[in-house]
Amino acid sequence: MTSQEIRKQFLNFFASKQHEIVQSAPLVNKNDPSLMFVNAGMNPFKEFFLGQKEPVYPRVADTQKCLRVSGKHNDLEEVGMDTYHHTMFEMLGNWSFGDYFKEEAIAWAWELLTEVFKIDKNSLYVTVFEGDKEDQLDFDHEAYDFWKKHIPAERILKGNKKDNFWEMGAQGPCGPCSEIHIDIRSDEEKALTPGKDLVNMDHPLVIEIWNLVFMEFNRRANGSLEKLPEKHVDTGMGFERLCMVIQKVQSNYDTDVFHPIIREIETITDTVYGKNEKTDVAIRVIADHVRAVAFAIADGQLPSNTGAGYVIRRILRRAIRYGFTFLNKKEPFIYQLANVLESQMGENFPEIVSQKNLIHNVIKEEEHSFLRTLDQGLILLDSIISNTTEKRISGKKAFELYDTYGFPKDLTSLILRERNMDFDEAEFDKEMSKQKSRSRAAAAVDTDDWNILSDDVEQEFIGYDYLQADVKITRYRKVSSKKDGDMYQLVFNLTPFYPEGGGQAGDKGYLELSNGNVIYILDTKKENNLILHYVRSLPEDPTQKFKAIVDREYRSRIMSNHTATHLLHQALRTVLGTHVEQKGSAVHSKGLRFDFSHFSKLSPEELKSIENFVNARIQENISLEENRNVPLEEAKKSGAIMLFGEKYGDTVRTIKFGQSTELCGGSHVKNTGDIWHFKIMSESAIASGIRRIEAITNDAARDYYFEQDEAYGKIKAVLKNPADLLKSVQNLQEENNKLKKEIEQLNKLKAASFKDDLIKNKKEINGVNFIGALLDTDAGSMKNIAFEIAGEIDNLFFIGGSNLDGKAILTIYISKNLVETKSLHAGNIIRELGKFIQGGGGGQPFFATAGGKNPSGLKQALDEAEKILEN
Ligand code: ATP
Ligand code: MG
């Protein structure tokens, strides 16, 4: 059975048990600060489990893209080393939201595996939670009894909290679980060691394939458990592992999920998989990582230097490094594998097809730049090696290589080993942990448990229509971090405050207390479906009623910039073409930023027509047409453009200004005329194939023109109010150029006369014509003087020292015949003399230069050169 068929059968099976089949949510989490990437099938459904949102369907099944490279679930270091952990993998799941529970979940899992997929019952084991004293939980005898109906007791094993109590993270929904394990060893091996002794022992052929979690609890910040309002089922089966079992191979990489990618890597790198453990690991790492990176890019997460983007960059760099070190690939090649992914997974994940060009370009550009960095690191490492006589370099130096050049520890030690050297690993590790604790301390946020004042979980957002409202606080909690200090997050029963999201900044404003005092709301954010209002202090009585008032000025600037962003998007697609796709945006009170796919720099003419297009729409005074609460499924059917970020169960909103229609949850002006004016401030590249435009509107545009006008007036005044300002600036420039040329001429004349003086003062030392000169000219002029003298005098040893604005420069010229007969070497001599000017340099045997920061040592350097010749 092919992997495509296996996926389909899974979904069909649960469809036949009344499950609604839904699409995978995007890999990157947008509204959950506690989790960067989806790391389990249940993440997108977290709000349903916590009772914070009503599910549309009580039973759902899907295949969810997961990424386990950070936080509680991090498999990165295993990937490639073993044959069954991936960074990105598909998790097949069936879900019950307060509907069926343990009995059905167990019966259906068993039916699917043994009857539909016909997996041998005698190769399967299941585990059941044994209970836990600390959490006061008993043995899960319910699950045990249900399993007993299907499988003999000796194949049901007890498991501890670590393996059989599933938790998403330090906080959140959790519950006991039952895992299904499979033993795919040969019969001989099975006879030697019973499979039940190898369950949960990290044996590569006795592995977990499916985890059935019975969600009943919420883990609170203080570590205690509370019962959830309802009981749910959350199951997760590793798709690639299932394929391995059904296709009767012993490694995920031998299934047809990975086969074509591996074939392609073999062809490109001219290696054969399965011949050598080192190259095999490298091939597995690359085959795995390219999937993670490609899917992240397709879901809108480009590699970058911070946050989720940095995690993606690190995964890609790990792949590049393995290619560089073990497959000897010094040129970009990983990007080519994206083609295979498209034909492999395109049917189920259309984003990988529609974003193919972007994936290609971004990976290629990343490969280029990291390979360059690796090259620079190599040069640096070379110089460290040649400047030491020791066999061991310091851990600090090796760490510096790692930190600034991304030069990994194993690569450094590999290169050193080739020269019979090594580095101080203990010191390296110490530096590493110092750095880690520095960044941990900077990022740590302590979050208290919610104080619940009312169990009103439905929270209404009324900010599209109102900027103030009478509200009640339904829950609040304290959060503390080094960066922001102590803050409180307040949740209201209803709110006019827009939470940061969809690129738009969160609202600011204040709460008015009944006694007239105010508490400022500094920011508004969203966490899952809760809208959090950030304040510095709590009101004395949080149960009273408040007036919540949004800062009108601030919000109206944001709205102006947001609507302008839509018009800009329309302008780009009109002027540049419909290949333009939004890749990110940031809308705040001071301006807007829009990132989009396009493959070349925009010309001044293009920028002008884009600006004109937007301003024309502003002048047309187009009214807003808004449509709220369109179910995602419906919007999709009507052909609306899908942006990344929506997931099953969401409703969307359409925003229309004339011909511009977008799915958007942000806030907008009622009429384009409110924007007043649109001005582009910059256009640049942020990644290969991605451009960024920054622009301003409204007040900011007005201020900009006022400032320009003022500056223009000042320049005019300085130039004594000429009739033609441009002409008079051009005249100034011309005059300046003429003067520069004249100075150059004068310098040449001066050099010629220096030259004559210098020749007159030459000394003869041991048959060498020695000329030492202290002249305060630049390095170029000094070189000219040296070469001109050499044209007139044989057997020349010339050394020049100059003090240029406090910087010292040394220049040495030695006639070719002296280099040969006396084996003098300008490069070596200047390196030695460098210490007098506290600097260094080098060069060829006949010509070399050095720079330093101590001009007072120049004289000494010249004297030392004489001494060298005397000896
Ligand atoms: P393991 O102990 O093998 O790491 P796990 O306990 O971390 O597994 P769960 O969190 O229960 O696994 O995830 C559910 C299923 O997802 C597992 O049964 C397994 O089939 C699959 N799975 C988990 N991690 C990975 C991974 N890194 N790559 C591929 N499949 C995975
Ligand atoms: Mg794991």
Side-chain angles (χ1 to χ4, degrees):
M1 210 186 295
T2 66
S3 54
Q4 311 246 19
E5 287 161 354
I6 294 172
R7 194 191 284 117
K8 253 193 216 125
Q9 288 233 16
F10 175 89
L11 297 175
N12 287 345
F13 176 82
F14 282 103
S16 78
K17 313 271 184 219
Q18 291 76 50
H19 287 62
E20 180 71 19
I21 308 302
V22 303
Q23 275 283 320
S24 173
L27 206 49
V28 191
N29 273 321
K30 295 269 185 231
N31 275 329
D32 193 341
S34 66
L35 203 62
M36 263 187 219
F37 301 101
V38 171
N39 67 8
M42 58 77 64
N43 302 159
F45 305 123
K46 182 171 146 190
E47 298 136 274
F48 301 146
F49 293 132
L50 289 172
Q52 291 171 352
K53 194 171 171 181
E54 277 293 308
V56 185
Y57 308 104
R59 297 178 183 188
V60 160
D62 67 352
T63 176
Q64 172 64 46
K65 296 173 273 188
C66 297
L67 191 62
R68 293 197 166 178
V69 289
S70 54
K72 178 168 158 46
H73 293 282
N74 185 348
D75 293 334
L76 185 61
E77 292 310 319
E78 256 82 53
V79 174
M81 302 300 162
D82 74 18
T83 50
Y84 59 106
H85 279 98
H86 301 297
T87 53
M88 191 207 82
F89 61 100
E90 284 180 57
M91 199 184 279
L92 302 167
N94 56 293
W95 315 88
S96 152
F97 306 120
D99 191 37
Y100 63 84
F101 203 46
K102 296 182 188 176
E103 180 169 15
E104 295 87 336
I106 287 173
W108 291 336
W110 192 252
E111 182 187 339
L112 177 66
L113 292 182
T114 60
E115 282 166 40
V116 178
F117 290 133
K118 309 234 176 311
I119 295 173
D120 180 7
K121 291 179 185 167
N122 295 322
S123 64
L124 295 172
Y125 294 90
V126 301
T127 61
V128 172
F129 180 49
E130 66 183 5
D132 183 71
K133 275 222 183 78
E134 199 186 344
D135 283 332
Q136 301 181 344
L137 293 172
D138 290 335
F139 171 56
D140 187 356
H141 56 85
E142 268 178 357
Y144 182 84
D145 290 343
F146 290 130
W147 278 120
K148 270 281 290 290
K149 295 184 181 172
H150 308 285
I151 184 168
E154 68 267 21
R155 294 189 162 268
I156 307 176
L157 313 171
K158 284 187 179 181
N160 58 19
K161 184 161 153 184
K162 180 180 137 291
D163 290 319
N164 281 83
F165 194 84
W166 202 90
E167 309 203 33
M168 188 187 72
Q171 277 169 267
C174 53
C177 61
S178 248
E179 304 163 331
I180 305 175
H181 293 256
I182 186 151
D183 181 356
I184 52 170
R185 292 172 305 151
S186 65
D187 289 340
E188 296 85 69
E189 277 175 278
K190 283 183 183 171
L192 285 175
T193 325
K196 71 175 175 26
D197 295 346
L198 297 174
V199 167
N200 272 332
M201 301 300 277
D202 289 332
H203 191 290
L205 301 178
V206 183
I207 57 168
E208 176 190 330
I209 53 169
W210 203 348
N211 195 353
L212 317 180
V213 183
F214 311 117
M215 293 283 183
E216 288 186 69
F217 304 104
N218 178 33
R219 174 79 68 193
R220 295 162 54 95
N222 66 11
S224 68
L225 292 177
E226 66 184 358
K227 278 249 179 213
L228 290 174
E230 294 198 75
K231 292 177 178 173
H232 315 275
V233 170
D234 147 16
T235 86
M237 172 150 62
F239 170 65
E240 298 77 7
R241 292 188 192 177
L242 178 67
C243 291
M244 164 174 88
V245 173
I246 295 176
Q247 296 179 354
K248 297 201 177 354
V249 288
Q250 296 198 318
S251 152
N252 287 4
Y253 296 90
D254 292 334
T255 64
D256 69 339
V257 179
F258 282 97
H259 231 204
I261 308 177
I262 291 183
R263 287 295 91 81
E264 187 69 14
I265 298 175
E266 289 181 322
T267 313
I268 299 175
T269 62
D270 203 12
T271 37
V272 178
Y273 182 65
K275 287 270 182 286
N276 166 310
E277 183 52 22
K278 274 210 172 117
T279 51
D280 286 357
V281 170
I283 291 174
R284 288 198 290 266
V285 163
I286 295 164
D288 173 275
H289 290 8
V290 68
R291 290 177 8 124
V293 174
F295 274 93
I297 296 173
D299 280 348
Q301 184 57 65
L302 299 180
S304 73
N305 262 340
T306 52
Y310 188 55
V311 175
I312 298 303
R313 174 166 281 168
R314 269 186 17 228
I315 299 175
L316 181 53
R317 288 187 168 183
R318 187 166 185 263
I320 299 172
R321 236 168 63 204
Y322 271 92
F324 182 90
T325 316
F326 299 107
L327 304 178
N328 208 23
K329 282 302 282 184
K330 314 290 186 218
E331 294 294 323
F333 73 103
I334 298 171
Y335 70 97
Q336 294 173 30
L337 304 171
N339 297 339
V340 189
L341 284 186
E342 185 200 354
S343 46
Q344 272 287 103
M345 307 183 76
E347 195 186 320
N348 210 66
F349 302 96
E351 63 274 21
I352 205 88
V353 183
S354 65
Q355 302 299 320
K356 182 183 151 191
N357 279 338
L358 183 71
I359 293 169
H360 219 261
N361 283 306
V362 169
I363 297 184
K364 190 172 177 185
E365 187 50 40
E366 283 282 313
E367 286 190 83
H368 258 306
S369 77
F370 187 55
L371 286 167
R372 261 198 309 270
T373 310
L374 283 178
D375 261 345
Q376 280 173 354
L378 275 179
I379 293 171
L380 191 66
L381 184 56
D382 265 343
S383 89
I384 294 173
I385 292 172
S386 59
N387 279 324
T388 180
T389 48
E390 316 262 309
K391 282 273 153 223
R392 158 167 294 197
I393 69 172
S394 77
K396 261 204 169 109
K397 279 242 156 67
F399 183 75
E400 201 180 293
L401 267 168
Y402 162 81
D403 202 28
T404 42
Y405 293 92
F407 223 68
K409 191 168 147 179
D410 52 357
L411 191 59
T412 305
S413 68
L414 193 84
I415 295 167
L416 289 173
R417 221 167 23 238
E418 280 167 7
R419 316 198 185 185
N420 276 326
M421 295 173 69
D422 63 6
F423 67 89
D424 186 340
E425 294 215 22
E427 195 183 57
F428 181 101
D429 294 342
K430 217 160 72 198
E431 290 295 314
M432 178 73 109
S433 63
K434 261 199 250 165
Q435 194 204 41
K436 275 197 182 142
S437 57
R438 269 197 305 270
S439 51
R440 238 197 321 270
V445 181
D446 276 333
T447 310
D448 282 2
D449 279 318
W450 286 113
N451 292 285
I452 310 237
L453 303 183
S454 113
D455 40 359
D456 238 356
V457 286
E458 280 307 320
Q459 177 192 18
E460 201 186 341
F461 173 68
I462 55 167
Y464 295 139
D465 306 307
Y466 302 98
L467 291 182
Q468 56 169 290
D470 290 331
V471 305
K472 270 185 331 197
I473 298 176
T474 56
R475 53 169 79 190
Y476 67 89
R477 70 179 173 192
K478 188 165 139 193
V479 286
S480 341
S481 70
K482 206 166 198 157
K483 191 166 141 263
D484 298 321
D486 286 356
M487 301 269 264
Y488 292 89
Q489 299 172 331
L490 313 180
V491 176
F492 306 150
N493 57 333
L494 86 179
T495 182
F497 281 72
Y498 180 86
E500 175 186 312
Q504 180 179 326
D507 278 338
K508 292 184 199 299
Y510 59 92
L511 275 184
E512 202 178 276
L513 280 60
S514 50
N515 63 6
N517 285 353
V518 298
I519 292 177
Y520 286 101
I521 295 177
L522 305 174
D523 200 358
T524 314
K525 291 187 178 171
K526 202 169 169 175
E527 183 172 314
N528 302 311
N529 66 336
L530 294 179
I531 297 175
L532 313 176
H533 306 79
Y534 283 75
V535 295
R536 279 274 172 230
S537 60
L538 285 177
E540 235 163 74
D541 173 16
T543 59
Q544 70 173 108
K545 274 207 164 195
F546 305 92
K547 212 177 232 21
I549 301 163
V550 175
D551 181 334
R552 189 176 287 272
E553 274 285 291
Y554 181 80
R555 164 72 91 74
S556 80
R557 289 191 184 127
I558 291 178
M559 297 202 294
S560 170
N561 286 325
H562 202 153
T563 304
T565 306
H566 286 203
L567 299 178
L568 171 61
H569 190 188
Q570 189 197 359
L572 288 167
R573 289 172 72 97
T574 311
V575 175
L576 302 178
T578 49
H579 63 280
V580 167
E581 269 189 49
Q582 174 169 354
K583 286 298 162 209
S585 76
V587 177
H588 41 90
S589 66
K590 297 204 170 80
L592 64 97
R593 201 175 77 200
F594 190 75
D595 300 339
F596 56 99
S597 49
H598 181 62
F599 292 100
S600 54
K601 183 164 180 54
L602 272 60
S603 68
E605 293 75 33
E606 284 170 332
L607 287 172
K608 199 75 230 158
S609 18
I610 290 163
E611 216 171 78
N612 289 343
F613 182 99
V614 175
N615 282 316
R617 300 293 84 73
I618 292 173
Q619 269 160 22
E620 283 168 14
N621 288 315
I622 308 169
S623 296
L624 161 70
E625 285 173 61
E626 178 197 14
N627 221 329
R628 288 182 204 167
N629 292 326
V630 187
L632 178 64
E633 279 67 26
E634 197 174 298
K636 236 196 302 190
K637 271 185 217 134
S638 76
I641 322 162
M642 284 289 292
L643 289 182
F644 34 80
E646 285 91 16
K647 58 181 201 234
Y648 149 80
D650 288 348
T651 55
V652 294
R653 171 166 168 263
T654 55
I655 292 293
K656 211 164 132 65
F657 285 98
Q659 299 298 308
S660 149
T661 315
E662 304 215 5
L663 294 187
C664 176
S667 41
H668 289 272
V669 296
K670 293 273 173 277
N671 185 295
T672 58
D674 300 347
I675 301 172
W676 189 71
H677 189 78
F678 171 80
K679 171 90 190 90
I680 294 178
M681 302 302 283
S682 72
E683 188 271 343
S684 59
I686 55 160
S688 157
I690 310 252
R691 317 282 320 170
R692 167 171 294 173
I693 282 183
E694 290 179 287
I696 52 176
T697 66
N698 217 305
D699 289 2
R702 203 166 324 187
D703 291 349
Y704 171 78
Y705 286 119
F706 282 149
E707 275 163 27
Q708 294 285 305
D709 188 54
E710 209 179 309
Y712 183 81
K714 281 186 189 155
I715 296 170
K716 241 173 128 170
V718 168
L719 293 174
K720 310 245 161 19
N721 292 316
D724 186 341
L725 182 59
L726 182 65
K727 186 91 190 83
S728 63
V729 172
Q730 281 166 342
N731 285 345
L732 272 180
Q733 274 175 335
E734 260 167 44
E735 198 176 313
N736 190 285
N737 282 339
K738 223 170 78 200
L739 290 175
K740 269 191 198 147
K741 278 204 189 105
E742 274 176 29
I743 290 175
E744 234 169 73
Q745 281 298 325
L746 285 174
N747 273 344
K748 267 196 194 142
L749 285 177
K750 213 162 85 184
S753 80
F754 280 147
K755 185 189 75 182
D756 295 340
D757 283 350
L758 290 173
I759 292 177
K760 267 189 228 136
N761 291 329
K762 73 170 197 285
K763 286 186 200 163
E764 209 199 290
I765 307 172
N766 286 332
V768 174
N769 288 316
F770 174 85
I771 295 180
L774 283 174
L775 298 173
D776 294 336
T777 70
D778 60 42
S781 311
M782 190 65 97
K783 183 175 176 184
N784 285 340
I785 295 174
F787 278 70
E788 276 180 33
I789 296 178
E792 294 179 25
I793 293 188
D794 293 332
N795 292 333
L796 173 69
F797 185 108
F798 172 92
I799 174 162
S802 42
N803 175 357
L804 257 192
D805 305 326
K807 281 203 199 98
I809 303 171
L810 277 177
T811 305
I812 295 184
Y813 178 96
I814 305 176
S815 297
K816 280 226 166 73
N817 65 321
L818 288 184
V819 169
E820 282 151 23
T821 57
K822 302 219 180 252
S823 62
L824 290 169
H825 190 293
N828 294 345
I829 296 176
I830 213 150
R831 218 165 293 158
E832 221 169 282
L833 300 184
K835 63 174 184 250
F836 293 106
I837 56 168
Q838 291 178 18
Q844 294 144 301
F846 75 98
F847 183 78
T849 56
K853 52 185 181 208
N854 177 28
S856 61
L858 286 167
K859 177 78 178 55
Q860 250 179 312
L862 264 57
D863 293 345
E864 183 68 21
E866 263 189 79
K867 269 191 213 134
I868 292 175
L869 289 183
E870 279 159 8
N871 301 324

